[in-house]
Amino acid sequence: MTNNPVAVFDSGIGSLSIIKELKKAVPAEDMLYFADRAHFPYGNKSHQQLLEITINTINYLRRYKPKLIVVASNAPTVQVLDEVRRKMPDLPIIGVRPPLKEAAKLTKKKHIGIMAAANTINSKELENQVRREVPQHILVTKFNASPIIELVEAGVHLENERRTFDVISRVLGDGVDEKIDVMTLSSTHLPFVKSYLNSLIPTVRFVDPAQMVAKDVRKFLGINRMAKKSGMGKLQILVSDGKREFEKSIRAMGVREPVEEVFLTF
């Protein structure tokens, strides 16, 4: 198992923010990156659709014999990952969740924001996580970041600054930084517009869970004696739709590995 890859997937570009941290945390590991653009965006799918997509995707990735799967998307992690793990007990799966505990520790104004996709924002699972992890005296405001996620997936943030600023401004509304001092980036697409966010609301601190996921992966591989000890890890990239646009975006982000388009039957 040591030489088998770590598989990382989400509905497109988002996984790259996790892979960047994984390369720092576990540089020897081979990685399989699956951008499931055929099902983009995960953020507008129903609970049942997300469950089916996640299970089918993991079953599809089994052919690559991954030693670990990282669900690099908040929407399926928050809403269906516990269910998926119960249905697939033989395969280790790590997800990415809104870093609410960290945000609650950091806030001085006792008011935090959560930026996430529409279905995550409206889910009972996120509401339950807020109840569990955020003390009652801290206010929580949720922001539907789906328009920003779609803009990042289309690569607009790389070539149209004005439109990117306009979309982000509409999502945030006015006076956010007067009330909120900490915001979670609870979509793996959002770190790619962090420079825009910092320009718009410079007094707000943004918490990106990518480093936490990378630490979880390193810890899991170490404890289970699955870590690859030497060499520089390779990155294999698969995309399920729109290869040309996807390739253009990741090249602009400095990713040089070849991209293989695969065709799903689900």
Side-chain angles (χ1 to χ4, degrees):
M1 281 294 272
T2 307
N3 292 318
N4 293 21
V6 173
V8 183
F9 79 92
D10 85 320
S11 61
I13 292 283
S15 286
L16 280 176
S17 64
I18 300 286
I19 284 168
K20 190 175 141 196
E21 294 302 328
L22 285 172
K23 280 185 163 181
K24 291 182 205 165
V26 285
E29 297 297 337
D30 291 334
M31 280 175 227
L32 174 71
Y33 164 26
F34 176 46
D36 184 17
R37 298 187 90 215
H39 293 109
F40 178 85
Y42 286 166
N44 69 358
K45 303 288 187 287
S46 70
H47 184 101
Q48 191 57 35
Q49 286 172 319
L50 272 180
L51 183 62
E52 285 169 15
I53 288 166
T54 306
I55 287 171
N56 286 331
T57 302
I58 290 169
N59 280 330
Y60 174 78
L61 292 172
R62 282 180 188 273
R63 69 189 66 191
Y64 297 94
K65 298 185 169 53
K67 58 185 171 185
L68 172 65
I69 287 189
V70 180
V71 181
S73 176
N74 287 261
T77 301
V78 169
Q79 292 175 72
V80 302
L81 188 58
D82 292 340
E83 234 172 307
V84 170
R85 281 184 176 137
R86 284 196 296 274
K87 290 175 188 289
M88 301 177 140
D90 62 312
L91 194 58
I93 308 167
I94 285 174
V96 53
R97 290 178 190 273
L100 302 185
K101 282 182 186 170
E102 290 70 22
K105 282 179 199 158
L106 291 168
T107 182
K108 302 277 192 293
K109 293 183 178 178
K110 308 301 176 203
H111 194 164
I112 65 172
I114 303 171
M115 291 178 79
N119 62 2
T120 305
I121 286 298
N122 297 319
S123 70
K124 67 178 191 303
E125 291 86 2
L126 180 62
E127 196 51 51
N128 291 339
Q129 190 188 340
V130 169
R131 277 200 209 98
R132 280 195 315 271
E133 297 183 3
V134 180
Q136 279 188 326
H137 67 282
I138 294 175
L139 285 171
V140 176
T141 300
K142 300 169 186 171
F143 297 86
N144 174 9
S146 282
I148 305 172
I149 293 162
E150 283 165 28
L151 175 141
V152 171
E153 189 61 36
V156 174
H157 67 299
L158 299 167
E159 51 200 27
N160 192 331
E161 224 172 69
R162 170 58 63 85
R163 193 169 149 217
T164 306
F165 272 122
D166 285 349
V167 170
I168 295 172
S169 296
R170 276 203 305 276
V171 166
L172 293 174
D174 296 327
V176 172
D177 47 348
E178 289 160 27
K179 300 173 283 193
I180 290 169
D181 58 348
V182 180
M183 186 97 71
T184 72
L185 299 179
S186 298
S187 158
T188 50
H189 284 70
L190 293 174
F192 297 116
V193 291
K194 197 172 169 199
S195 59
Y196 288 95
L197 291 164
N198 285 333
S199 297
L200 278 167
I201 41 176
T203 58
V204 175
R205 181 162 177 181
F206 295 95
V207 189
D208 175 7
Q211 287 181 346
M212 298 165 214
V213 175
K215 276 184 196 160
D216 286 347
V217 168
R218 186 174 60 202
K219 188 176 168 185
F220 174 86
L221 294 175
I223 288 170
N224 292 282
R225 299 186 179 178
M226 288 183 182
K228 202 172 158 209
K229 297 288 185 287
S230 59
M232 276 309 290
K234 298 192 293 289
L235 178 62
Q236 182 181 359
I237 304 174
L238 311 175
V239 65
S240 59
D241 194 26
K243 179 187 170 183
R244 190 179 295 173
E245 303 92 330
F246 175 74
E247 218 164 21
K248 186 183 167 197
S249 286
I250 67 167
R251 296 289 176 256
M253 293 161 140
V255 178
R256 295 284 166 259
E257 283 84 358
V259 177
E260 180 191 344
E261 188 155 16
V262 295
F263 300 96
L264 304 176
T265 54
F266 59 87

